Structure formats: structure tokens, C-alpha cells
Amino acid sequence: MIAAGDLVLLRAEGGREYLATVKDERLHTDLGLVDLKGIEGLEWGSTIASHLGKPFTVLRPRATDFFKHVKRTGAPMMPKDIGAIIAYTGLCPMDTVLDAGTGSGVLAIYLGFIAKKVISYEVNDHFVSVARKNVAQAGLSNVEVRQGDILEEVEKLEGPFDVVTLDMQDAPSAVEGIYRVLVPGGFLASYSPFFEQAMETRKAVERAGFANYSTIMVSEQELEVGKRGTRPSTRVGHTGFITIARK
Ligand SMILES: C[S@@+](CC[C@H](N)C(=O)[O-])C[C@H]1O[C@@H](n2cnc3c(N)ncnc32)[C@H](O)[C@@H]1O
């Protein structure tokens, strides 16, 4: 049953979606006003009508909904790359994760839905406050966003961390410090938008002493289903390269 203070995903006609908290307020949408207090006591999957009689289905939000609806500050990591990081590091509920940079917290939120604890560093004050709000909205008390430069902060960290994720420009410079705070057998996953940065990361990983490593590029193509037929989408979007290294 849905309680006051719960975060809900409201789905309406035309694929419109809204994230909202159940409280004594009305949500303004282009399909009319939704009485959020009226959601309290409903079962998940119920429908509530706006003042214009338009139906909204009430769903429990999942990590993928935060990817679509949280406030963004920059380039969030794409689900295909997040999925690869989760799969190749074998992320699990016993893990403690170190993440940098947080950005708007999209990757950190996905990690937080799986891992025991996530500590995420972001150097930019404004991004820190956006990410903290996004993490709080997702209800993740196990994700801690810290303000700081990981290149300096990693020296002070004790660890150990089971998994470290890097999505920041100067990731190669962080690799040596990361090696020290990883548990033996732990994984580093470092995302780079450019070949050059990916190659620098590989060199840094080798220098640091990682036992084995590989760099991958994940391709994803949606199917376009049209009146004349079905075919892979012609949009091919490059995101980046992920170097996965094991201590
Ligand atoms: C591409 S964004 C990260 C996006 C994030 N992974 C997500 O999924 O939302 C890169 C972030 O790294 C931060 N950053 C860059 N260098 C950093 C450093 N040395 N320490 C901590 N954060 C850093 C930037 O301020 C920026 O917000």
C-alpha cells in the first residue's frame, strides 16, 4: 500500500511520466491537476484521475525512472554502459563502491540500488547539490555524495572498496591511488569518451599492477517498427569506452 512520503511514478496517456512524492499538494500536468494526497492508501498499479478526468497509473519508481527524470547537470552515463559495468564487475549487495565524478548522480543511483554502500566524489559544488537532491529523491540512504577532488581524496581513503567506478576527465591519474584502496580481486571500471583517454587509462592500469584488464565498447541499436517494415534504427550513437581491470 502506498504511504505518505512515498515517491511514485505517474504514467499517463501518450507515455507521459511524472515523479512525485505523496503529500498534501497537487501536481500540475498538461493533463490536469493530480491530487497527490489522494494517492495515499492506494495499491501500487492503481489509477488516479486528474481534475480533467485523465487517468494516471501509480507505479513504484525503479533506477531506470531516475535515469529519465532526475535533474541533470552534464552528460550522464547511458544505461547500456551502466549495465556493462554492473555485469563485468559482478556488482552485488555485499559491495562497497567508490565512484567519481558523481555528475548528477545517475550512475551512483544505479549502483546504490544494488550495492551495500556507495561513496561518490564530485569536485563541482553545484553538481554536488544537484546529485544529493537526486539521491535523496531516489530514497537511497546508502549513497553518500562527497564534495572533493578524487585525485587528492583517494590518498586519504582507507577503503577497502570492492568496486571503483571512474567517469571523469583525468581518470588515468586516479588509477594508482584506486589500486591501493581496492580489495584483492576487486574491480575498477573506468569510462572514457575518447580512444586517447581509454589508452591512457590502460597504460595507467598496467603501471599500477592490475592483474588483468580489457577495454570494451558497448553497441546498442533500437529496432524501428514502421508501416513498411522493421529494421535496426539508423541512429548510431557513440558514447564511450569502458576499461575494466581486476586487482
Ligand atoms: C561525465 S560527468 C559524470 C556523470 C555521472 N557518472 C553520471 O552518470 O551522472 C563527469 C563529472 O566528473 C567531475 N569530475 C571531474 N574531475 C573530477 C575529480 N578529479 N574529482 C571528482 N570529480 C571530478 C566533473 O565535475 C563532472 O561532474
Side-chain angles (χ1 to χ4, degrees), residues 77-107:
M77 197 177 284
M78 291 290 123
K80 71 179 180 74
D81 296 318
I82 294 172
I85 288 176
I86 291 169
Y88 282 103
T89 61
L91 190 73
C92 75
M94 280 91 80
D95 284 347
T96 300
V97 182
L98 173 65
D99 170 58
T102 320
S104 44
V106 167
L107 173 62

Side-chain angles (χ1 to χ4, degrees), residues 165-193:
T165 53
L166 295 177
D167 180 10
M168 46 176 263
Q169 204 174 356
D170 200 11
S173 303
V175 168
E176 202 182 321
I178 296 300
Y179 184 85
R180 190 184 56 80
V181 297
L182 264 177
V183 291
F187 277 95
L188 164 68
S190 182
Y191 175 90
S192 323

Side-chain angles (χ1 to χ4, degrees), residues 118-133:
V118 179
I119 296 174
S120 185
Y121 279 90
E122 170 56 54
V123 76
N124 179 302
D125 281 345
H126 172 60
F127 295 176
V128 168
S129 66
V130 171
R132 282 185 180 152
K133 279 188 197 137

Side-chain angles (χ1 to χ4, degrees), residues 105-120:
V106 167
L107 173 62
I109 287 173
Y110 269 93
L111 299 173
F113 271 103
I114 300 173
K116 182 171 74 183
K117 172 87 186 166
V118 179
I119 296 174
S120 185

Side-chain angles (χ1 to χ4, degrees), residues 63-77:
T64 185
D65 300 309
F66 297 100
F67 170 77
K68 282 197 268 181
H69 299 292
V70 292
K71 186 169 179 212
R72 293 179 183 193
T73 51
M77 197 177 284

